[in-house]
């Protein structure tokens, strides 16, 4: 297992099923990601994509097998330690509705640092949190005029980029994106991916990107195909 | 701290429904504190009707009855106390002062009380407040009268006016002492006690109007006012008397002596204790009121629970986002509880504000009508306790939606079911 310690992510015989279910919804024998890897997880709906992400983010624990993130066995942590681990080392972007409607753009981005002293420390290395957030937003093509705006004034594409900024502030090692482009049209999608990759690479972050859209796969260094055999959910 | 800021902003985002909830809580809190305030004010006003008096003595009867007729001028004495007995007790070494009380007549619905000028010297009410003349002077002549504030106010009397006293407690033309009118020489300040509704005359005055009466009716021999003055107007009996002792510690000893007085059956009561006992019998109503306001509060809290539960669905996304950022499941519970705390605290503050607003409006009216001063005092420990209980209760209630949100956030994980 020593070589695993170098891996950002390593899965070993991970299986998951909901109580009362007949078959495993997630069944991955082995998977290893190095720092900076970009993994494309492909699968139709019901193939357990979301469950896998919940496992990787430490929200759920596998029925059997081990998940190691940055050398830490998630299964060995308590639920609240897993939450803290997620806060410190993982950024998450959802398909849609990533932002809290009662906060401004900037507040949404800096919120990540509220639950993690590690992220906060890294975000304030050279500047204050707000300045770091503005820099990230600008890098993601969001001009200053949007920074103090209520987020429901933003387009869906803009909202998704704000979500990326929030996920990346404080330099998490892993970024998990769950169908982040499915609500975007083709133009927006391509621009979004462009910016996403640019920032992920700038931070040396490991990306785990889930989508049902096979067209996107070519941009990634690794691909994981999920089978739909278990698909009852 | 961050969680509090999130809770605040989130609550502001959904302010319409939450403000209604705040208002509901505010009304229940106002009601609860208001009832408590009224209860306390009426209790203290009752208990303060008479003070500094160690014993009240009358013919043998129940303590409450003696208290009612001697202090509140309600009901009638069963019997009188003879003047000799009164004098012998008043002459005791332990006794510092006495106030004789002679009741039985009235003036247009207000009781007439015969007494001596010791009444003005020694009678105390509230926190040892003495009687103060608003205008005029004490009675001096036999046909002088000093009116309580309400009597003068309600009947529109001024100094120098003449009044006719009726025999007995019901005004009837045939039983008027119309041959011996009294002159108003003094009007007392408002006290908020039964003194306000009393017509005070001297014991000699009581005697004078009754010299030509026998057994409740005029005798054949009539004496006019001037003729009556020629007679010895020392009373043969009085209704009751108040006693102040040299030394408070002797209260029970003197009480026993009076209760065991060999020549005449009498009762001596401790006004404070009897007032407290009397209060207990009538305070049931206030307790019922208090319980009802408690239920109003419970309804308010349940309303709040309903509101918060109904927002849980629309907050599902919000909670999933927070979880993704790293909020623990316990943070989710705390968020809900914090929001409840905000709503209830705002409700309490608004409720207290409404209470003081109402008190400020009601204060002059109540003071004019009843003489009770609704002092705008700061919340006392009981009232603070009530509010603490409200907030604590609300937080317990909030655990229900909190735990529901907790369980859901675990089930939902990071998946957003749109």
């Amino acid at each position: 297992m020593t070589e695993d310690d170098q891996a950002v992510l390593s899965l070993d015989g991970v299986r998951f099923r909901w109580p009362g279910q007949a078959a495993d919804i997630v069944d991955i024998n082995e998977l290893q990601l190095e720092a900076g890897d970009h993994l494309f997880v492909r699968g139709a709906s019901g193939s357990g994509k979301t469950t896998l992400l919940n496992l990787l983010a430490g929200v759920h624990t596998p029925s059997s097998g081990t998940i190691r993130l940055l050398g830490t066995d998630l299964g060995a942590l308590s639920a609240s330690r897993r939450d803290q681990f997620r806060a410190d080392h993982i950024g998450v972007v959802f398909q849609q509705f990533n932002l809290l409607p009662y906060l401004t753009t900037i507040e949404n981005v800096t919120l990540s640092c509220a639950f993690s002293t590690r992220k906060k420390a890294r975000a304030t290395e050279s500047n204050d949190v707000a300045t770091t957030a503005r820099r990230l937003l600008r890098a993601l093509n969001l001009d200053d005029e949007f920074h103090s705006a209520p987020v429901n004034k933003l387009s869906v594409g803009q909202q998704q980029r704000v979500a990326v900024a929030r996920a990346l502030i404080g330099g998490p090692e892993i970024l998990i994106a769950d169908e982040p482009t499915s609500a975007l049209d083709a133009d927006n999608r391509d621009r979004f991916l462009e910016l996403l990759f640019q920032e992920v690479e700038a931070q040396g972050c490991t990306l785990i990107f889930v989508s049902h859209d096979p067209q996107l796969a070519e941009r990634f260094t690794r691909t994981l195909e999920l089978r739909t055999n278990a698909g009852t959910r | 701290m961050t969680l509090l800021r999130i809770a605040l902003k989130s609550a502001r985002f959904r302010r319409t429904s939450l403000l209604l909830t705040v208002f509901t809580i505010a009304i229940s809190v106002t009601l609860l504190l208001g009832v408590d305030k009224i209860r306390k004010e009426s209790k203290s006003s009752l208990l303060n009707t008479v003070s500094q008096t160690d014993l009240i003595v009358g013919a043998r009867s129940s303590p409450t009855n003696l208290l009612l007729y001697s202090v509140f001028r309600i009901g009638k004495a069963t019997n009188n106390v003879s003047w000799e007995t009164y004098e012998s007790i008043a002459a005791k070494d332990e006794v510092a002062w006495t106030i004789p009380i002679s009741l039985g007549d009235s003036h247009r619905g207000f009781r007439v009380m015969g007494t001596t000028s010791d009444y003005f010297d020694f009678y105390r009410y509230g926190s040892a407040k003495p009687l103060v003349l608003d205008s005029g002077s004490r009675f001096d002549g036999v046909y002088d009268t000093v009116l309580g504030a309400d009597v003068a106010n309600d009947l529109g009397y001024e100094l120098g006016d003449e009044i006719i006293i009726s025999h007995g407690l019901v005004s009837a033309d045939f039983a008027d002492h119309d041959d011996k009118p009294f002159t108003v020489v003094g009007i007392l300040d408002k006290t908020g006690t039964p003194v306000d509704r009393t017509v005070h005359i001297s014991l000699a005055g009581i005697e004078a109007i009754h010299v030509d009466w026998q057994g409740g009716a005029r005798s054949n021999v009539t004496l006019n006012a001037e003729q009556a003055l020629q007679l010895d107007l020392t009373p043969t009996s009085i209704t009751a008397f108040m006693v102040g002792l040299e030394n408070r510690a002797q209260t029970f000893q003197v009480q026993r002596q009076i209760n065991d007085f060999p020549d005449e059956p009498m009762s001596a009561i401790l006004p404070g204790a009897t007032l407290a006992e009397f209060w207990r019998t009538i305070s049931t109503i206030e307790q019922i009121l208090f319980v009802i306001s408690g239920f109003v509060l419970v309804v308010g809290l349940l309303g709040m629970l309903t509101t918060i539960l109904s927002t849980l669905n629309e907050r599902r996304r919000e909670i999933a986002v927070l979880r993704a950022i790293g909020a623990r499941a316990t943070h989710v519970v705390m968020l809900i509880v914090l929001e409840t705390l905000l709503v209830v605290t705002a409700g309490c503050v608004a409720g207290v504000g409404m209470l003081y607003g109402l008190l400020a409006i009601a204060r002059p009216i109540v003071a004019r009508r009843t003489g009770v001063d609704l002092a705008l005092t700061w919340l006392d420990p009981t009232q603070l306790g009530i509010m603490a209980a409200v907030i604590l209760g609300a937080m317990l209630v909030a655990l229900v939606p909190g735990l529901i949100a907790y369980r859901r956030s675990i089930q939902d994980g990071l998946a957003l079911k749109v």
Side-chain angles (χ1 to χ4, degrees):
Chain A
M1 297 290 271
T2 42
E3 66 268 36
D4 285 1
D5 293 342
Q6 308 305 313
V8 170
L9 169 82
S10 88
L11 268 60
D12 186 16
V14 170
R15 285 165 216 284
F16 182 87
R17 69 169 75 176
W18 293 101
Q21 266 191 335
D24 294 327
I25 186 161
V26 172
D27 178 358
I28 299 170
N29 269 330
E30 214 212 336
L31 176 69
Q32 288 217 5
L33 291 181
E34 309 293 324
D37 267 351
H38 300 161
L39 174 70
F40 184 75
V41 180
R42 200 173 80 82
S45 50
S47 59
K49 289 177 300 193
T50 304
T51 311
L52 176 63
L53 293 190
N54 276 328
L55 288 171
L56 296 181
V59 177
H60 300 321
T61 45
S63 312
S64 66
T66 52
I67 299 172
R68 286 177 168 272
L69 287 182
L70 308 164
T72 305
D73 181 0
L74 285 186
L77 300 179
S78 67
S80 67
R81 294 288 296 278
R82 289 200 307 274
D83 289 335
Q84 192 58 54
F85 190 89
R86 176 169 70 253
D88 287 340
H89 302 287
I90 301 175
V92 180
V93 180
F94 296 128
Q95 189 174 356
Q96 224 182 332
F97 305 114
N98 273 285
L99 308 177
L100 298 182
Y102 46 84
L103 299 181
T104 63
T105 302
I106 282 280
E107 285 170 333
N108 262 291
V109 175
T110 56
L111 193 62
S112 284
C113 299
F115 290 97
S116 166
T117 44
R118 181 180 181 273
K119 277 188 184 170
K120 182 163 190 178
R122 295 181 63 159
T124 51
E125 264 166 13
S126 50
N127 279 308
D128 60 53
V129 186
T131 312
T132 310
R134 283 178 193 284
R135 196 184 46 70
L136 255 172
L137 285 169
R138 281 188 212 111
L140 288 160
N141 252 349
L142 278 158
D143 294 339
D144 288 28
E145 58 182 296
F146 301 112
H147 293 187
S148 304
V151 288
N152 47 20
K153 293 272 186 289
L154 305 182
S155 71
V156 178
Q158 287 169 328
Q159 288 186 21
Q160 288 305 83
R161 278 178 275 148
V162 175
V164 172
R166 183 185 62 202
L168 287 176
I169 195 169
E173 289 88 342
I174 300 160
L175 177 68
I176 294 177
D178 183 6
E179 306 249 18
T181 55
S182 66
L184 305 179
D185 58 42
D187 261 8
N188 263 313
R189 184 192 67 194
D190 292 341
R191 268 201 314 193
F192 175 85
L193 286 174
E194 207 73 55
L195 291 165
L196 176 69
F197 272 105
Q198 171 197 311
E199 275 314 295
V200 163
E201 268 153 23
Q203 296 206 2
C205 182
T206 306
L207 172 64
I208 300 170
F209 189 104
V210 174
S211 179
H212 62 277
D213 184 354
Q215 288 178 7
L216 306 177
E218 62 198 32
R219 292 168 176 264
F220 291 80
T221 55
R222 303 273 304 271
T223 301
L224 174 70
E225 194 86 22
L226 291 178
R227 290 157 296 148
T228 51
N229 63 342
T232 50
R233 272 176 75 97
Chain B
M1 195 57 213
T2 316
L3 217 57
L4 180 66
R5 249 187 47 226
I6 294 172
L8 270 170
K9 292 202 168 172
S10 177
R12 219 180 61 192
F13 191 66
R14 290 169 287 117
R15 57 181 166 272
T16 317
S17 58
L18 290 183
L19 274 178
L20 276 173
T21 314
V22 167
F23 191 58
T24 317
I25 304 273
I27 289 176
S28 352
V29 168
T30 306
L31 206 60
L32 206 59
L33 294 182
V35 168
D36 185 66
K37 178 88 179 165
I38 290 169
R39 189 171 61 156
K40 281 182 181 137
E41 290 295 340
S42 43
K43 181 180 182 182
S44 78
S45 136
L46 181 82
L47 295 185
N48 284 331
T49 312
V50 54
S51 67
Q52 307 280 302
T53 298
D54 296 309
L55 292 169
I56 297 176
V57 183
R60 180 147 305 160
S61 71
S62 81
T64 309
N65 187 39
L66 175 52
L67 180 85
L68 284 180
Y69 72 71
S70 65
V71 174
F72 294 97
R73 328 261 190 263
I74 296 170
K76 288 204 296 201
T78 48
N79 215 331
N80 281 354
V81 177
S82 75
W83 186 249
E84 290 73 33
T85 305
Y86 161 67
E87 283 199 308
S88 76
I89 291 170
K92 279 178 179 292
D93 287 343
E94 298 94 324
V95 174
W97 52 263
T98 56
I99 299 169
I101 297 169
S102 193
L103 298 161
D105 289 328
S106 65
H107 172 71
R108 294 173 67 180
F110 294 102
R111 299 282 181 117
V112 172
M113 184 179 105
T115 184
T116 62
S117 81
D118 284 347
Y119 177 68
F120 300 103
D121 287 326
F122 298 116
Y123 188 83
R124 296 287 184 274
Y125 69 97
S127 45
K129 283 190 273 189
L131 296 176
V132 175
L133 281 159
D134 176 62
S135 59
S137 61
R138 299 174 181 188
F139 47 72
D140 187 33
V142 172
Y143 298 116
D144 286 349
T145 176
V146 172
L147 304 180
D150 286 353
V151 182
N153 194 39
D154 290 8
L155 301 179
Y157 287 140
E158 290 170 11
L159 297 181
D161 285 353
E162 291 207 332
I163 67 169
I164 302 294
I165 288 168
S166 309
H167 192 74
L169 302 179
V170 189
S171 184
D173 280 345
F174 61 87
D176 281 348
H177 298 290
D178 48 5
D179 54 337
K180 301 184 184 69
F182 282 71
T183 308
V184 178
V185 297
I187 294 168
L188 291 169
D189 260 349
K190 185 109 184 159
T191 64
T193 71
V195 170
D196 296 344
R197 307 185 60 78
T198 305
V199 174
H200 306 89
I201 64 174
S202 66
L203 287 175
I206 295 275
E207 279 311 298
I209 55 179
H210 293 108
V211 282
D212 50 359
W213 283 59
Q214 269 182 340
R218 275 173 231 264
S219 66
N220 296 328
V221 194
T222 56
L223 294 169
N224 66 28
E226 285 306 312
Q227 289 168 320
L229 287 179
Q230 308 306 313
L231 301 171
D232 175 16
L233 293 175
T234 307
T236 54
S237 68
I238 55 174
T239 314
F241 57 98
M242 297 178 170
V243 178
L245 297 175
E246 293 286 355
N247 182 355
R248 280 238 146 136
Q250 293 172 317
T251 307
F252 292 104
Q253 186 193 330
V254 177
Q255 184 188 27
R256 200 171 330 111
Q257 283 174 17
I258 294 171
N259 284 338
D260 298 343
F261 198 73
D263 302 338
E264 203 172 342
M266 285 186 295
S267 294
I269 59 163
L270 283 67
T274 312
L275 278 166
E277 196 181 315
F278 181 49
W279 167 256
R280 273 197 295 282
T281 61
I282 63 168
S283 64
T284 323
I285 301 159
E286 325 257 346
Q287 278 162 9
I288 291 168
L289 216 62
F290 195 66
V291 168
I292 291 171
S293 3
F295 279 117
V296 171
L297 179 75
V298 169
V299 171
L301 289 181
L302 286 178
M304 182 186 68
L305 179 65
T306 314
T307 309
I308 291 174
L309 276 176
S310 70
T311 61
L312 277 191
N313 253 333
E314 57 177 286
R315 296 187 72 183
R316 222 162 163 158
R317 256 179 232 146
E318 178 188 344
I319 287 166
V321 168
L322 287 171
R323 289 278 286 148
I325 291 169
R328 295 172 200 175
T330 48
H331 284 140
V332 174
V333 182
M334 276 164 65
L335 200 66
I336 306 283
V337 173
L338 263 179
E339 174 170 313
T340 313
L341 195 66
L342 285 173
V343 167
V344 173
T345 310
C348 280
V349 170
V352 171
M354 274 163 65
L355 175 72
Y356 281 108
L358 285 174
L359 280 180
I361 294 167
R363 195 181 182 188
I365 301 164
V366 172
R368 204 164 48 238
R369 290 255 172 97
T370 68
V372 175
D373 180 30
L374 292 173
L376 294 179
T377 49
W378 180 231
L379 297 171
D380 63 25
T382 329
Q383 292 173 319
L384 288 174
I386 288 172
M387 291 213 290
V390 170
I391 291 172
L392 211 71
M395 284 176 69
L396 284 178
V397 165
L399 284 180
V400 175
L403 290 175
I404 290 174
Y406 175 93
R407 275 190 36 210
R408 270 195 194 167
S409 78
I410 299 249
Q411 277 168 11
D412 287 359
L414 304 183
L416 282 174
K417 311 275 187 323
V418 180

